[in-house]
Amino acid sequence: MIKSRREQFETLFPDQPAFRWKQIEQGLFSTAESWEDLTSLSKEIREKISSIPFSTVEPENILKSGNGDTHKVILKVEGDKEIESVLMKNKREAWTICVSSQIGCAMRCGFCATGKMGLSRSLTADEIIDQYRFWQRYLDERPELEGRISNIVFMGMGEPLANYGAVKESLNAILKHTDIGRTRITVSTVGVLPRLEQILTDDDWPHIRLAVSLHSAIPATRKEIVPTSYDEFLPKIEAWAKAYLKKFGNRRHHLTFEYVMLKDVNDSEKHARTLANFVKRIGNVRVNLIPYNLTGVEFQCSTGSATDLFQKILKEKGVVTTIRHTMGDDIAAACGQLIVENNKTK
Ligand code: SAH
């Protein structure tokens, strides 16, 4: 078990009042570049605290897409492991960061590069928070990049809900110490039902946006491309989604279903109609169609015309549908392409 910064602090300073940790956490989200910069702390604390890592992630390599709108970093974490994290320009003239929640992933989705790595370990809340802090500092140091981080998506390596506790802790810390609101954060999940059920009654779970990677509303197809799926998954996720929206849905709070467009696998008109009916039964759900980014030879991306027709069918049935704009594919930073290529994480 990796000890959190907070646990290390409490071991080092057992007699400090509780507000001290809050002060330190706030300092971590400030422009401070080291413990030394946290001048609100006494000199004695600053000296002693230096044994705790100010950052748990260490940049090893940064890649920039040709047009400069996507940056990817490989970060070294405890145990000589590596993760990837991405910064993308968004439509609001600001930046969206895509954070990893695990090193690798155990879900084995056939179209996802991370899925092929298997799971090495889950990240700690500090390691998730420090991805945000890394990009915040990156932008601070490069004023020419203009704009702040306005959105966070948990769509990097890993299955966030398979790392529920650390993801929740990182969400709560980010919401507390930054100006990023709940509607600007999206956690994407393959659909880990016990954890989704837990969210329904967990008072500490912050109601950020959730996106469920559906990829098919036909059970056999979903099982084929998402190996962790099972016969009862679709009716169960339908019941869950209805319960979730009943409890937390409103005009501003919807659910998203993600749908990766795989040529001749899930992109036919029948698939579109089945998906539309599925979504209509649930209610306030939006569909996000994702062009498939190449990760191997098993799948191909649907053609533009198949994707347009798919979207048209959904729209005709009244389903709000967007097509995700692919970014960073020239630096393998697009959805599903995150894998640390020198195989260190394997
Ligand atoms: N484990 C989470 C986060 C995955 S990444 C989840 O399953 O939702 C975010 C989205 O990208 C998911 O919907 C995922 O299925 C999708 N994705 C994975 N590989 C992809 C690829 N090669 N091309 C396009 N989208 C991909």
Side-chain angles (χ1 to χ4, degrees):
M1 259 317 245
I2 300 172
K3 271 196 159 187
S4 70
R5 265 192 294 254
R6 185 181 187 148
E7 285 162 344
Q8 293 179 57
F9 176 78
E10 283 166 355
T11 311
L12 269 181
F13 303 97
D15 301 324
Q16 285 292 323
F19 71 81
R20 190 74 69 215
W21 172 252
K22 280 191 199 145
Q23 196 181 7
I24 288 168
E25 200 174 51
Q26 192 130 38
L28 288 172
F29 282 92
S30 73
T31 51
E33 290 178 16
S34 69
W35 294 122
E36 274 302 298
D37 292 343
L38 298 187
T39 45
S40 59
L41 301 174
S42 70
K43 196 157 183 293
E44 191 207 333
I45 294 185
R46 271 183 284 149
E47 275 169 13
K48 226 168 145 188
I49 207 174
S50 60
S51 64
I52 301 176
F54 188 71
S55 177
T56 57
V57 303
E58 194 62 46
E60 285 200 322
N61 194 14
I62 297 169
L63 296 165
K64 254 186 280 178
S65 64
N67 62 6
D69 68 2
T70 307
H71 302 228
K72 173 171 99 166
V73 66
I74 297 175
L75 295 167
K76 191 158 159 185
V77 294
E78 175 77 33
D80 211 18
K81 308 267 184 203
E82 291 162 324
I83 54 163
E84 298 187 341
S85 201
V86 184
L87 176 78
M88 295 164 282
K89 192 100 205 165
N90 63 34
K91 288 192 210 112
R92 311 169 67 226
E93 287 308 304
W95 296 90
T96 296
I97 61 166
C98 174
V99 298
S100 292
S101 56
Q102 298 186 303
I103 308 172
C105 186
M107 301 297 143
R108 308 186 312 279
C109 299
F111 49 84
C112 178
T114 311
K116 297 201 172 85
M117 297 168 61
L119 177 67
S120 179
R121 72 166 164 85
S122 282
L123 294 179
T124 64
D126 291 331
E127 289 164 336
I128 300 171
I129 290 166
D130 288 351
Q131 293 173 62
Y132 169 85
R133 293 176 59 230
F134 170 80
W135 288 120
Q136 190 187 34
R137 178 142 175 224
Y138 184 85
L139 290 176
D140 278 349
E141 287 171 349
R142 292 168 183 76
E144 70 279 9
L145 292 180
E146 288 176 12
R148 47 186 272 280
I149 298 170
S150 65
N151 292 60
I152 304 177
V153 295
F154 282 66
M155 296 187 187
M157 298 167 118
E159 168 46 49
L161 294 190
N163 186 17
Y164 187 86
V167 165
K168 180 167 80 172
E169 196 181 325
S170 67
L171 287 169
N172 283 324
I174 289 167
L175 286 166
K176 187 161 160 199
H177 296 291
T178 75
D179 58 357
I180 301 174
R182 288 182 308 178
T183 59
R184 303 264 169 235
I185 303 180
T186 303
V187 170
S188 175
T189 175
V190 73
V192 182
L193 269 159
R195 296 292 83 74
L196 288 171
E197 299 286 352
Q198 190 171 346
I199 284 173
L200 295 177
T201 54
D202 183 350
D203 292 337
D204 295 332
W205 176 264
H207 288 284
I208 47 74
R209 293 224 151 113
L210 287 173
V212 177
S213 295
L214 199 75
H215 305 323
S216 180
I218 297 177
T221 308
R222 187 171 200 275
K223 221 166 147 181
E224 185 190 327
I225 54 184
V226 180
T228 51
S229 203
Y230 46 91
D231 289 344
E232 289 303 301
F233 179 82
L234 288 166
K236 282 193 170 161
I237 202 80
E238 181 181 332
W240 172 82
K242 284 177 181 159
Y244 179 84
L245 289 170
K246 190 165 174 212
K247 201 155 177 192
F248 306 111
N250 57 45
R251 218 164 38 82
R252 280 166 56 87
H253 197 70
H254 57 266
L255 270 175
T256 299
F257 285 160
E258 291 159 291
Y259 199 101
V260 62
M261 295 299 294
L262 301 171
K263 186 169 190 268
D264 300 333
V265 176
N266 64 353
D267 66 347
S268 71
E269 292 180 40
K270 182 182 165 202
H271 278 99
R273 283 193 301 273
T274 313
L275 175 64
N277 292 335
F278 186 74
V279 169
K280 292 298 282 179
R281 287 203 297 275
I282 297 170
N284 196 6
V285 175
R286 297 190 181 174
V287 171
N288 189 212
L289 302 178
I290 317 178
Y292 167 63
N293 301 305
L294 269 180
T295 58
V297 293
E298 304 99 306
F299 297 102
Q300 282 177 289
C301 183
S302 304
T303 61
S305 55
T307 307
D308 289 344
L309 178 62
F310 200 93
Q311 183 181 32
K312 189 165 160 263
I313 294 169
L314 291 168
K315 281 191 165 168
E316 274 168 9
K317 297 230 179 203
V319 178
V320 181
T321 308
T322 49
I323 300 179
R324 188 175 294 171
H325 172 55
T326 298
M327 296 176 79
D329 48 344
D330 58 339
I331 53 166
C335 298
Q337 291 185 322
L338 300 185
I339 184 166
V340 177
E341 274 168 358
N342 63 13
N343 288 345
K344 259 199 176 168
T345 45
K346 277 196 178 168

